[in-house]
Amino acid sequence: MINLALFGAGRIGFIHGHNAAKHANANLVALYDPFQPNAEKLAKELGCRQMTPEQIFADNSIDAVLICSATDTHADLIEQAVAAGKHVFCEKPIDLSLQRVRECMSKVSKTDSKTMVAFNRRFDPNFQSLQQQIVSGEVGNVELVNILSKDPSPPPVEYIKVSGGLFRDMTIHDFDMARFLLGEEIESVSAHASCMVDPAIGEAGDFDTAAITLTTSSGKLAQISNSRRASFGYDQRVEVHGSKGMLIAQNVNENTVVSYTESGVNSAKPLHFFLQRYDAAYRAELNSFIDYLMGEQVNIPSMHDGLQALVIAEAALKSVAEQRTVKLSEIH
Amino acid sequence: MINLALFGAGRIGFIHGHNAAKHANANLVALYDPFQPNAEKLAKELGCRQMTPEQIFADNSIDAVLICSATDTHADLIEQAVAAGKHVFCEKPIDLSLQRVRECMSKVSKTDSKTMVAFNRRFDPNFQSLQQQIVSGEVGNVELVNILSKDPSPPPVEYIKVSGGLFRDMTIHDFDMARFLLGEEIESVSAHASCMVDPAIGEAGDFDTAAITLTTSSGKLAQISNSRRASFGYDQRVEVHGSKGMLIAQNVNENTVVSYTESGVNSAKPLHFFLQRYDAAYRAELNSFIDYLMGEQVNIPSMHDGLQALVIAEAALKSVAEQRTVKLSEIH
Amino acid sequence: MINLALFGAGRIGFIHGHNAAKHANANLVALYDPFQPNAEKLAKELGCRQMTPEQIFADNSIDAVLICSATDTHADLIEQAVAAGKHVFCEKPIDLSLQRVRECMSKVSKTDSKTMVAFNRRFDPNFQSLQQQIVSGEVGNVELVNILSKDPSPPPVEYIKVSGGLFRDMTIHDFDMARFLLGEEIESVSAHASCMVDPAIGEAGDFDTAAITLTTSSGKLAQISNSRRASFGYDQRVEVHGSKGMLIAQNVNENTVVSYTESGVNSAKPLHFFLQRYDAAYRAELNSFIDYLMGEQVNIPSMHDGLQALVIAEAALKSVAEQRTVKLSEIH
Amino acid sequence: MINLALFGAGRIGFIHGHNAAKHANANLVALYDPFQPNAEKLAKELGCRQMTPEQIFADNSIDAVLICSATDTHADLIEQAVAAGKHVFCEKPIDLSLQRVRECMSKVSKTDSKTMVAFNRRFDPNFQSLQQQIVSGEVGNVELVNILSKDPSPPPVEYIKVSGGLFRDMTIHDFDMARFLLGEEIESVSAHASCMVDPAIGEAGDFDTAAITLTTSSGKLAQISNSRRASFGYDQRVEVHGSKGMLIAQNVNENTVVSYTESGVNSAKPLHFFLQRYDAAYRAELNSFIDYLMGEQVNIPSMHDGLQALVIAEAALKSVAEQRTVKLSEIH
């Protein structure tokens, strides 16, 4: 059994906490959240103790920590955790500063701790299946990838202000997905972004709509389409065009009922947002982390993957500002 | 909290046991199965005690029982449970003998126990949504219902011999679904059946392929298509044709990936069998039972529903034998 | 080049007339319709002469006739045509009386004329493809066939009164489709019918909603679902369940656009009625007739096929009346 | 009746010639092609005369010309046609040289001739329906457009060498589609292109795979995905993301049959190439031209539309070369 402690009792802490508590090979021993109402409520639900970070790091029975706290605490907690000999599961992003991420990775590398950055979409059963079909050679050499990712509605502007912006907050998942599917490192980025959804987002210095092209050194292309708004719900699709064919992962719908009436043919909408759509992905993600700790051979997104996605986000910002294609090698 | 005891640690007991153990408003206190290896294994998994039926019925802390044991024990256990003041959740069928079902219902009716017959398909999110769309009037008056139900492969002939036959074992779900969707009692049955899949099934006196028509007194029609074999997996679909439109509940597929290659366009198969397809239905079913016990207003399939489905099965058998339409009123 | 004359300038005469006029290997020489406005209009459109039946039969340059006139003229025209040495393309049904059909077939059999009964659905590209996939062995031995056939709205009651009733007028196409797909003769029929759409149809002695089961001697089953009304348009689908798999021919939609909005996911309706849905089928049907006359090896529905569909319709009527399964061998 | 003459008896001349010959309100009077075998064959099929360009332009009975000849003859023929008082339907592109196109347009503008540039995709029933749904406001303000356009296989390298390259030859359709759907002029272009399909294409100085982003002054974005190869056939799809929803025009498939077997679920491939997919579009396109000449209010793609698509192609080439976003205002 793996003993776990959870940092953060917010929305994403709630998900991983529940999955950890139900896991056959794990115990959720403790959680910490400085916001007491959340901490108390979740600890009660999960039947675990509240402990301070110091207590958690000092407790030798705890094997690993799940870091689901505010972004600006991630790097510090990772460093403290590995210093205390714990393994780490950390929500993306590691940090908004590339410099800070690199420092943190350097410290981790000097320990034996296992770490994982939680790019949940890699664990979605549909994208998993699609990626395995790529690996099996079903569509030959991958040449072009299209990633469509739209949220049902924008977060509050207060969140946007501290989020690091569209590219670091939302598109970062798509950057990782592009790397996951292309099977080759990104060489350059060309990004275009607008504020179409809410002027307040523009006033906060961010975008809400984006079209991005990534290239690899062998000439593969990836296109990302983003919007902070999709009236019909969460739009999460992927297309892969290869030398021998094409793979499309469509949205997951609420149900399979189709209604035919005089006014038309109606079917159910896509699952509304990430809690619904990625429910199975979150479970699979935690399973993989536990398997990883138990010595299984599993593919897990590493801190390097977390770093690379952030580098692409930086390049994308530079590309928008300078209206040109930016090479990743320009980003330090 | 509702305290539950489970009878039967086989395949279906496993499902309901796990759902009960995870339920926020229920405790699974104990289980019983005369086959020790199963009982031991499941009790360990679920962290509950093993108790004898006598102990279970004598234990005043136990509110309700989940009857998932062999069919020929259902009626006895129901009677003992209600005599002991327990509520009852019983797998279908109540019994293969109509006479026995009626006796059992008569005894239950003299108690205050709440009972539910577990027609799981009523709780499938797709069929639920479809039925709610009927109730909302979206397609007007229901006139014709088509139910397609095919298993991936036939059970062992040994099972078939004790199953009560295709109509009482498998089609019984479709008979209940027809009643659920038509919103009106069945008046007559016309059944046609063949042995196309395995001659051994015919030698055992049963069928493996069937086409059945049900009628109601107002002239509504329902057609059921059955096969014990579908090479591609579980085929569970429903169509409702009404005065203002049509509703179709399609199969649920393994994933949403579509592959386009020179050899054609391929998509994932339907979920393989009932464990996969009705996973959510089983959870919702137990939730409804717990809600029912806690005093919520919920629609649950009753013992009367269990009886009616069995009466239709009897009529269907008579229809095949006599090659004519049989009225339910002929069945005693 | 094949020289053709057309009987009937109504709706179906219009279709075949236009297809004949555009055919690369055929000339439409003349047409006849006793209703002058229709005859005049269509002759002008098609650039052909009007001739009387006597003139048509006497004209040695005319190779074949297309019989698209009122049902009660079909058998007479067939007999006169073959007596005059002409080949015959005749709309279904040959006649409403089985006796009359048999007489007519007997006369045809004494000539060298080629004849074809126009079961247009056999030529629909989707059903054609499905049938070829059956023949290729893709789904193994056919065991169960489901045919769904619903019109957008019922014809005028005046038409219904002279139509021969639902089974001879509308279901006849489905009876032929069942024979086409089962690849085996029908042995018995069990039919159930209601009047759900319009009481006036019932007062005229007919039904508007039906559920029919056909069986073959080897135990294959076919189920037909009929309604004279489908609020959303023409519903024309077929399912074939075989030992190795299932084939479904879905409806053809008006276009491929799908709209996702807050109120749901909308797609285009099925093509509205037979003129739209079977446009390609009518062209292919006439092509096959011309190919047949030119000596090609083609599968065309014969007068025997026309007769068999009518026998099944008779048996279905008897089955409804007597509430039992009726063997085709009972129909004389 | 409109009297037409056709220039060019190749593949596209064949299509427009046949549609013209069958048109109810048009006569195809004559055709010209310097390659005699093609000219003779098509003239015979269509039952029209062969005339020289001089004879065509001198013939006062001819109202309009259909220019389907080699690209480098388009501009000259347009100028001669309008000088002779004829209306003009011209295949895209008008010319590969922007300078030449502008000269030609200037000459046309001094006449009363009606002209149309044949962007056939605007007339595809699916894209038409999608565009009308945009205009109806169904998805609100258009914010992002995705256009996927892939050919089944690349043309011969000899063709590529004289084609003007991927952007002027193939993507030009997508540039026009973007303008058609965005309802706003393009302001800038950012293009990325690779040679993934065939090195010989790269050696000829062209690309075979491309990812392009277009922006408008109000911030709307369009993304185009191109490949010269799609193993499964012609891939022609469009997505429009608006403030109130999304519209997707899917591919058109060969038939509606779906096959379910042990090895998976198979459906028909998309229609193979433009002759199949745009068959209806070509008919609608010529219908619109004839309607236009007869004074109807119709939206037809103008020479200005032809010019704009070419300007975007030029900007795209410059963008690839300079690895930056290029404004259309930079192109002269």
Side-chain angles (χ1 to χ4, degrees):
Chain A
M1 295 293 282
I2 305 289
N3 289 325
L4 300 170
L6 170 69
F7 287 91
R11 200 161 52 168
I12 195 74
F14 176 93
I15 296 168
H16 293 307
H18 272 275
N19 287 335
K22 279 185 281 192
H23 200 286
N25 298 321
N27 293 318
L28 184 65
V29 174
L31 65 75
Y32 169 74
D33 192 305
F35 185 59
Q36 263 306 301
N38 278 4
E40 219 161 288
K41 185 166 178 298
L42 190 58
K44 199 178 156 203
E45 271 177 44
L46 301 179
C48 75
R49 274 173 292 158
Q50 290 191 54
M51 290 170 72
T52 63
E54 294 68 31
Q55 291 171 325
I56 289 171
F57 293 129
D59 185 334
N60 285 330
S61 76
I62 293 173
D63 302 300
V65 295
L66 309 176
I67 302 179
C68 305
S69 48
T71 294
D72 59 5
T73 68
H74 288 185
D76 288 351
L77 288 171
I78 292 171
E79 291 176 356
Q80 293 167 33
V82 302
K86 315 255 175 262
H87 304 298
V88 175
F89 171 104
C90 182
E91 269 302 315
K92 62 90 216 167
I94 301 169
D95 195 274
L96 296 178
S97 148
L98 274 179
Q99 174 63 23
R100 185 72 189 87
V101 173
R102 290 201 176 100
E103 274 171 31
C104 180
M105 286 175 70
S106 165
K107 292 193 181 158
V108 169
S109 71
K110 288 164 191 144
T111 74
D112 292 331
S113 290
K114 293 179 173 179
T115 55
M116 166 170 171
V117 173
F119 283 119
N120 60 310
R121 291 186 198 173
R122 289 196 182 204
F123 298 92
D124 174 71
N126 306 292
F127 298 147
Q128 279 266 322
S129 177
L130 182 143
Q131 198 261 353
Q132 284 156 15
Q133 288 173 265
I134 293 174
V135 170
S136 77
E138 192 170 324
V139 295
N141 185 38
V142 171
E143 296 172 350
L144 176 62
V145 167
N146 297 77
I147 299 170
L148 289 109
S149 175
K150 297 186 290 174
D151 284 354
S153 53
V157 172
E158 278 61 44
Y159 172 82
I160 282 180
K161 285 175 183 164
V162 299
S163 70
L166 185 75
F167 295 157
R168 290 197 198 89
D169 179 54
M170 178 172 162
T171 324
I172 196 167
H173 282 290
D174 307 308
F175 294 141
D176 184 64
M177 184 55 67
R179 292 180 66 246
F180 184 57
L181 300 177
L182 287 167
E184 190 180 327
E185 285 299 339
I186 303 304
E187 188 179 66
S188 72
V189 183
S190 166
H192 303 267
S194 303
C195 191
M196 308 294 281
V197 176
D198 185 352
I201 294 173
E203 285 156 23
D206 199 7
F207 325 111
D208 51 39
T209 309
I212 300 160
T213 305
L214 309 176
T215 63
T216 72
S217 62
S218 76
K220 297 180 183 186
L221 299 164
Q223 290 175 294
I224 297 168
S225 309
N226 275 166
S227 175
R228 285 282 196 187
R229 174 189 52 202
S231 65
F232 55 88
Y234 206 32
D235 196 11
Q236 296 281 299
R237 290 173 291 141
V238 153
E239 296 194 8
V240 171
H241 308 261
S243 56
K244 293 185 182 165
M246 169 170 74
L247 296 167
I248 299 183
Q250 301 174 316
N251 282 318
V252 180
N253 297 327
E254 289 170 348
N255 60 60
T256 68
V257 180
V258 185
S259 161
Y260 295 74
T261 63
E262 204 169 354
S263 66
V265 178
N266 283 262
S267 45
K269 291 195 280 190
L271 290 174
H272 186 64
F273 205 2
F274 66 96
L275 293 182
Q276 294 83 36
R277 167 61 191 264
Y278 291 123
D279 178 50
Y282 286 120
R283 283 200 306 274
E285 182 179 51
L286 194 71
N287 288 348
S288 287
F289 180 61
I290 302 295
D291 288 349
Y292 178 43
L293 298 194
M294 294 176 79
E296 303 276 318
Q297 271 300 106
V298 283
N299 281 315
I300 55 113
S302 66
M303 290 188 76
H304 174 72
D305 292 319
L307 173 69
Q308 283 305 101
L310 208 61
V311 169
I312 301 170
E314 290 289 327
L317 278 166
K318 194 177 181 71
S319 172
V320 169
E322 303 182 6
Q323 299 221 52
R324 64 174 182 89
T325 301
V326 171
K327 286 195 185 301
L328 294 210
S329 57
E330 300 179 46
I331 307 300
H332 304 291
Chain B
M1 295 295 279
I2 306 288
N3 290 323
L4 300 169
L6 170 69
F7 287 92
R11 197 162 53 169
I12 195 74
F14 176 93
I15 296 170
H16 293 308
H18 272 275
N19 287 335
K22 279 187 279 192
H23 201 286
N25 298 320
N27 294 317
L28 184 65
V29 174
L31 64 75
Y32 170 75
D33 192 305
F35 184 59
Q36 262 307 301
N38 278 4
E40 220 160 287
K41 185 167 179 296
L42 190 58
K44 199 179 155 201
E45 269 178 43
L46 302 179
C48 75
R49 275 173 291 158
Q50 289 192 55
M51 290 170 71
T52 64
E54 294 68 32
Q55 290 171 325
I56 288 170
F57 293 130
D59 185 334
N60 284 330
S61 75
I62 292 174
D63 302 299
V65 295
L66 309 176
I67 302 178
C68 305
S69 48
T71 294
D72 60 5
T73 67
H74 288 186
D76 288 350
L77 287 171
I78 292 172
E79 290 177 356
Q80 292 167 36
V82 301
K86 316 255 175 264
H87 304 298
V88 175
F89 171 104
C90 184
E91 268 303 315
K92 62 90 214 164
I94 302 170
D95 196 274
L96 295 177
S97 149
L98 273 179
Q99 175 61 22
R100 186 71 190 88
V101 174
R102 287 201 177 102
E103 273 173 32
C104 181
M105 286 175 70
S106 165
K107 290 192 182 158
V108 168
S109 71
K110 287 166 192 143
T111 72
D112 291 331
S113 290
K114 293 179 173 180
T115 54
M116 167 168 170
V117 173
F119 283 119
N120 61 309
R121 292 186 198 173
R122 290 195 182 206
F123 298 93
D124 174 72
N126 307 291
F127 297 147
Q128 278 265 324
S129 177
L130 182 144
Q131 198 260 353
Q132 284 156 14
Q133 286 172 266
I134 292 174
V135 170
S136 77
E138 192 170 322
V139 294
N141 185 40
V142 171
E143 296 171 351
L144 177 63
V145 167
N146 296 77
I147 299 169
L148 288 108
S149 174
K150 297 187 290 176
D151 284 355
S153 54
V157 173
E158 281 60 45
Y159 172 83
I160 281 180
K161 284 175 181 164
V162 299
S163 70
L166 185 75
F167 295 158
R168 289 196 197 91
D169 178 54
M170 178 173 162
T171 324
I172 196 166
H173 282 292
D174 307 308
F175 294 141
D176 183 64
M177 185 55 67
R179 291 181 65 247
F180 184 56
L181 299 177
L182 287 167
E184 191 180 326
E185 285 298 340
I186 303 304
E187 189 178 65
S188 72
V189 182
S190 167
H192 304 266
S194 303
C195 189
M196 307 294 281
V197 176
D198 185 354
I201 294 174
E203 286 156 22
D206 199 8
F207 325 112
D208 53 38
T209 310
I212 301 160
T213 305
L214 310 176
T215 63
T216 73
S217 63
S218 77
K220 296 179 182 186
L221 300 164
Q223 290 175 294
I224 297 168
S225 308
N226 275 167
S227 175
R228 286 283 195 188
R229 175 189 51 201
S231 64
F232 55 88
Y234 205 33
D235 196 11
Q236 297 279 300
R237 290 172 292 139
V238 153
E239 296 195 8
V240 172
H241 308 260
S243 55
K244 293 184 183 165
M246 170 169 75
L247 296 167
I248 299 183
Q250 301 173 318
N251 282 318
V252 180
N253 297 327
E254 289 169 349
N255 61 60
T256 68
V257 180
V258 185
S259 160
Y260 296 73
T261 63
E262 203 169 355
S263 67
V265 178
N266 284 262
S267 45
K269 290 195 280 189
L271 291 174
H272 186 66
F273 206 2
F274 66 96
L275 293 182
Q276 294 82 36
R277 166 63 190 264
Y278 291 124
D279 178 50
Y282 286 120
R283 283 201 306 273
E285 182 178 52
L286 194 72
N287 287 349
S288 287
F289 180 62
I290 302 295
D291 288 349
Y292 177 44
L293 298 193
M294 293 176 80
E296 303 276 317
Q297 272 301 106
V298 283
N299 280 316
I300 55 113
S302 65
M303 291 189 75
H304 174 73
D305 291 320
L307 174 68
Q308 285 305 104
L310 209 60
V311 169
I312 301 171
E314 291 288 329
L317 278 167
K318 194 178 181 73
S319 172
V320 169
E322 303 182 4
Q323 299 223 52
R324 64 176 181 89
T325 302
V326 171
K327 287 195 183 302
L328 293 210
S329 57
E330 299 179 46
I331 306 301
H332 305 292
Chain C
M1 295 293 281
I2 306 289
N3 290 324
L4 300 169
L6 170 68
F7 288 93
R11 199 161 52 168
I12 194 73
F14 176 93
I15 295 168
H16 293 307
H18 272 273
N19 287 334
K22 279 186 279 193
H23 201 287
N25 298 321
N27 293 317
L28 184 66
V29 174
L31 65 75
Y32 169 74
D33 192 306
F35 184 59
Q36 262 308 301
N38 278 4
E40 220 160 286
K41 184 166 176 301
L42 190 59
K44 200 178 154 202
E45 269 177 43
L46 303 179
C48 75
R49 274 172 292 158
Q50 290 191 54
M51 289 171 71
T52 65
E54 295 69 31
Q55 291 171 325
I56 288 170
F57 294 127
D59 186 333
N60 284 330
S61 76
I62 292 173
D63 302 298
V65 296
L66 309 175
I67 303 178
C68 305
S69 49
T71 294
D72 59 5
T73 67
H74 289 185
D76 287 351
L77 288 172
I78 293 172
E79 291 177 355
Q80 292 167 35
V82 301
K86 315 255 174 264
H87 304 299
V88 175
F89 172 103
C90 184
E91 269 302 315
K92 62 89 219 169
I94 301 169
D95 195 273
L96 295 177
S97 149
L98 273 179
Q99 175 61 24
R100 186 72 190 88
V101 173
R102 289 199 176 101
E103 274 172 32
C104 182
M105 286 175 70
S106 165
K107 290 193 181 159
V108 168
S109 70
K110 288 164 191 144
T111 72
D112 292 332
S113 290
K114 293 179 173 180
T115 55
M116 167 169 171
V117 173
F119 283 118
N120 59 309
R121 292 185 198 173
R122 291 195 182 206
F123 299 92
D124 174 71
N126 306 292
F127 298 147
Q128 280 265 323
S129 177
L130 182 143
Q131 198 260 352
Q132 284 156 15
Q133 287 173 265
I134 292 174
V135 169
S136 77
E138 191 170 324
V139 295
N141 184 38
V142 172
E143 297 173 349
L144 175 64
V145 167
N146 296 77
I147 299 169
L148 289 108
S149 174
K150 297 186 291 175
D151 284 353
S153 53
V157 173
E158 280 60 44
Y159 172 82
I160 281 180
K161 284 175 181 165
V162 299
S163 69
L166 184 75
F167 295 157
R168 289 195 197 90
D169 179 53
M170 178 173 162
T171 323
I172 196 166
H173 281 291
D174 306 308
F175 295 141
D176 184 63
M177 184 55 66
R179 292 181 66 247
F180 184 56
L181 299 177
L182 286 167
E184 190 179 327
E185 284 299 338
I186 304 303
E187 188 178 66
S188 72
V189 182
S190 167
H192 303 267
S194 302
C195 190
M196 307 294 282
V197 176
D198 185 352
I201 294 173
E203 286 156 22
D206 199 7
F207 325 110
D208 52 39
T209 309
I212 300 160
T213 305
L214 309 176
T215 63
T216 73
S217 63
S218 75
K220 296 180 182 188
L221 299 164
Q223 290 176 294
I224 297 168
S225 308
N226 275 167
S227 174
R228 284 285 195 186
R229 174 190 52 202
S231 64
F232 57 87
Y234 206 32
D235 196 12
Q236 297 280 299
R237 291 172 291 141
V238 153
E239 296 194 8
V240 172
H241 308 261
S243 55
K244 293 185 183 165
M246 171 169 74
L247 296 167
I248 298 183
Q250 300 174 316
N251 282 318
V252 181
N253 297 327
E254 289 170 349
N255 62 60
T256 68
V257 180
V258 185
S259 161
Y260 295 73
T261 63
E262 203 169 354
S263 66
V265 178
N266 284 262
S267 46
K269 291 196 280 190
L271 290 174
H272 186 64
F273 206 3
F274 66 96
L275 293 182
Q276 295 82 36
R277 166 64 191 262
Y278 292 123
D279 178 51
Y282 286 120
R283 283 201 305 274
E285 181 178 52
L286 194 71
N287 287 348
S288 287
F289 180 62
I290 302 295
D291 288 349
Y292 178 44
L293 299 193
M294 294 175 81
E296 303 277 318
Q297 271 302 105
V298 282
N299 280 315
I300 55 111
S302 66
M303 289 188 77
H304 174 73
D305 292 319
L307 174 67
Q308 284 305 101
L310 208 60
V311 168
I312 301 170
E314 291 288 329
L317 278 167
K318 193 176 181 72
S319 172
V320 169
E322 303 182 3
Q323 299 222 53
R324 65 174 182 88
T325 301
V326 172
K327 286 194 185 301
L328 292 210
S329 58
E330 299 179 47
I331 307 301
H332 304 292
Chain D
M1 295 294 280
I2 306 289
N3 289 324
L4 300 168
L6 170 69
F7 287 92
R11 199 161 52 167
I12 195 74
F14 177 92
I15 295 169
H16 293 308
H18 272 275
N19 288 333
K22 279 185 280 193
H23 200 286
N25 299 320
N27 294 318
L28 184 67
V29 175
L31 65 74
Y32 169 75
D33 192 306
F35 184 59
Q36 261 307 301
N38 278 2
E40 218 161 287
K41 186 167 177 295
L42 189 60
K44 200 179 155 202
E45 269 177 45
L46 302 178
C48 75
R49 274 172 291 157
Q50 291 191 54
M51 289 171 71
T52 64
E54 295 68 32
Q55 290 170 324
I56 287 170
F57 293 129
D59 186 332
N60 285 328
S61 76
I62 292 173
D63 302 300
V65 295
L66 308 175
I67 301 178
C68 306
S69 49
T71 294
D72 60 5
T73 67
H74 288 185
D76 287 352
L77 286 171
I78 292 171
E79 291 177 356
Q80 292 167 36
V82 302
K86 315 257 175 262
H87 304 298
V88 175
F89 171 104
C90 184
E91 269 303 315
K92 62 92 214 164
I94 301 170
D95 196 90
L96 296 178
S97 147
L98 274 179
Q99 175 62 23
R100 186 70 190 89
V101 173
R102 288 201 176 100
E103 272 172 34
C104 182
M105 285 175 71
S106 163
K107 291 193 181 155
V108 169
S109 71
K110 287 164 192 145
T111 73
D112 293 331
S113 290
K114 293 178 173 178
T115 55
M116 166 168 171
V117 173
F119 282 119
N120 60 310
R121 292 186 197 172
R122 291 195 181 205
F123 298 93
D124 173 72
N126 307 293
F127 298 147
Q128 279 265 323
S129 177
L130 183 143
Q131 197 261 353
Q132 283 156 16
Q133 287 173 265
I134 293 174
V135 170
S136 77
E138 192 170 323
V139 295
N141 185 41
V142 172
E143 296 171 351
L144 176 63
V145 167
N146 296 76
I147 299 169
L148 289 109
S149 174
K150 297 186 290 175
D151 283 355
S153 53
V157 172
E158 280 61 45
Y159 172 83
I160 281 179
K161 284 175 182 165
V162 298
S163 69
L166 185 74
F167 295 158
R168 289 196 198 91
D169 179 53
M170 178 172 162
T171 324
I172 195 167
H173 282 291
D174 307 307
F175 295 140
D176 184 63
M177 184 56 66
R179 292 181 66 245
F180 184 55
L181 300 177
L182 287 167
E184 191 179 326
E185 284 299 339
I186 303 304
E187 189 179 66
S188 73
V189 182
S190 167
H192 304 267
S194 303
C195 190
M196 307 294 281
V197 176
D198 186 353
I201 294 174
E203 285 157 22
D206 199 7
F207 325 111
D208 52 38
T209 309
I212 301 159
T213 304
L214 309 176
T215 62
T216 72
S217 63
S218 76
K220 296 180 182 187
L221 300 164
Q223 289 174 295
I224 297 168
S225 308
N226 275 167
S227 175
R228 285 284 194 187
R229 174 188 54 201
S231 64
F232 55 88
Y234 205 31
D235 196 12
Q236 296 280 300
R237 291 172 291 139
V238 153
E239 296 194 8
V240 172
H241 308 262
S243 55
K244 294 185 182 164
M246 170 169 75
L247 296 167
I248 299 183
Q250 302 173 315
N251 281 319
V252 180
N253 297 327
E254 287 170 349
N255 61 60
T256 68
V257 180
V258 185
S259 161
Y260 295 74
T261 64
E262 203 169 355
S263 66
V265 178
N266 284 261
S267 45
K269 290 195 280 191
L271 291 174
H272 186 65
F273 206 2
F274 67 97
L275 292 182
Q276 294 83 37
R277 166 63 190 263
Y278 292 123
D279 178 51
Y282 286 121
R283 283 201 304 274
E285 181 178 53
L286 194 72
N287 288 348
S288 287
F289 180 62
I290 302 295
D291 289 349
Y292 177 43
L293 299 193
M294 294 175 80
E296 303 277 316
Q297 272 300 108
V298 283
N299 280 315
I300 56 114
S302 65
M303 291 188 75
H304 174 71
D305 292 320
L307 174 68
Q308 284 305 104
L310 209 60
V311 169
I312 301 170
E314 291 289 328
L317 279 167
K318 193 177 181 71
S319 172
V320 169
E322 303 182 5
Q323 299 222 53
R324 64 174 182 89
T325 301
V326 171
K327 287 196 184 301
L328 294 210
S329 56
E330 300 179 46
I331 306 301
H332 304 291

